Amino acid sequence: MKESLKVTFLGTGTSQGVPVIGSTHPVCLSTNKKDKRMRVSVLLSWNNYNYVIDCGPDFRSQMLNHPISKLDGILFTHEHADHTSGIDDIRPFYFKQGDIPIYAHKRVIHSLKQRFDYIFTKKNRYPGAPAVEIHKIKNNHSFILGDTPVIPIEADHNGLQVFGFRIKNFTYLTDVKRISKAEIDKIKGSKVLVVNALRQEEHHSHFSLSEALALVAEVQPKTAYFTHISHLLGFHDDVEKQLPENVHLAYDNLVIYV
């Protein structure tokens, strides 16, 4: 019998994290641990496999908080810095394992090659640089992680294509502003849906709280968790009380099983 999917929320914050540097906003001054949010990422573990979705600037701290013996690969939703700029910190895994598999849209691979050329170059490599094994993701083309198929879910982030992922009965979406009915149909039947909910007010490139709730109502998962949260959403405990019974705010270090 296969193990259930273990999901560890490594980070649940927006691009600046919470607290924001120098901010005196009440949420940024909160002493509640659930109001402290690193940049958004999750660790997926099952059957001795470990995969991370997104690898932002807090990746090193996140891996120290949740040590794993090996990293089987990284899935990238898109190329923005809060989702990719921790890639250099895969070095300890590379030193133990060799090239680390990465999975992303070809556009994202191109961006990574430009910004982290020393990781991708084959000539005159710096001895301490990590290296990766590239896997390009196409929409409507599922792929295999370990022993499990993954369905990419395409969405729009203010004109930028982003990928979410459905793995078993779990779907993870972040940085979504619009998503088509055809892509929503791929999500339906998920027991757990994770989706971004940036703040109360509408935003040009992210779901607001009401937009995220509307998607949950359409998909009707058993349970939903909101992530990629800014301080402008409000205090964790206050917002949690306002949500439907099956909807929760994710928080850093939360672990669930699907």
Side-chain angles (χ1 to χ4, degrees), residues 31-206:
T31 58
N32 184 347
K33 289 183 179 180
K34 293 180 180 179
D35 287 321
K36 311 292 185 186
R37 303 184 185 277
M38 294 190 194
R39 267 59 72 92
V40 68
S41 178
V42 289
L43 168 65
L44 308 178
S45 304
W46 76 95
N47 291 344
N48 201 36
Y49 294 111
N50 294 306
Y51 290 90
V52 168
I53 301 180
D54 287 334
C55 179
D58 300 314
F59 181 73
R60 177 179 178 274
S61 295
Q62 292 166 344
M63 288 292 94
L64 291 174
N65 288 341
H66 299 279
I68 52 177
S69 60
K70 65 185 178 75
L71 178 64
D72 294 291
I74 303 169
L75 291 76
F76 288 107
T77 58
H78 63 297
E79 63 266 45
H80 285 167
D82 54 320
H83 298 259
T84 60
S85 64
I87 192 171
D88 185 75
D89 285 323
I90 65 173
R91 282 184 293 161
F93 295 111
Y94 165 72
F95 295 152
K96 290 173 61 179
Q97 302 170 214
D99 293 10
I100 303 299
I102 63 171
Y103 302 79
H105 190 280
K106 64 180 181 180
R107 184 198 69 249
V108 177
I109 298 296
H110 179 70
S111 174
L112 291 172
K113 284 181 175 180
Q114 288 185 312
R115 293 158 54 210
F116 302 97
D117 60 307
Y118 64 95
I119 291 177
F120 292 85
T121 186
K122 299 298 182 183
K123 296 181 179 180
N124 301 317
R125 287 183 53 79
Y126 179 72
V132 297
E133 175 187 297
I134 296 171
H135 299 266
K136 295 180 181 179
I137 304 173
K138 297 180 180 179
N139 196 33
N140 295 320
H141 289 76
S142 62
F143 57 98
I144 302 294
L145 291 183
D147 57 2
T148 302
V150 179
I151 300 171
I153 310 295
E154 192 167 66
D156 177 80
H157 178 42
N158 191 36
L160 181 71
Q161 177 271 353
V162 297
F163 272 137
F165 303 99
R166 178 169 181 172
I167 302 169
K168 301 186 179 185
N169 290 314
F170 172 78
T171 297
Y172 182 87
L173 301 170
T174 189
D175 290 53
V176 173
K177 179 59 179 180
R178 282 172 288 275
I179 183 168
S180 71
K181 183 181 183 303
E183 299 301 304
I184 290 173
D185 286 343
K186 298 177 185 178
I187 304 170
K188 290 182 177 179
S190 298
K191 291 182 179 178
V192 175
L193 169 65
V194 176
V195 63
N196 56 291
L198 184 74
R199 64 188 193 185
Q200 302 282 350
E201 298 82 5
E202 187 172 349
H203 189 267
H204 67 279
S205 62
H206 293 271

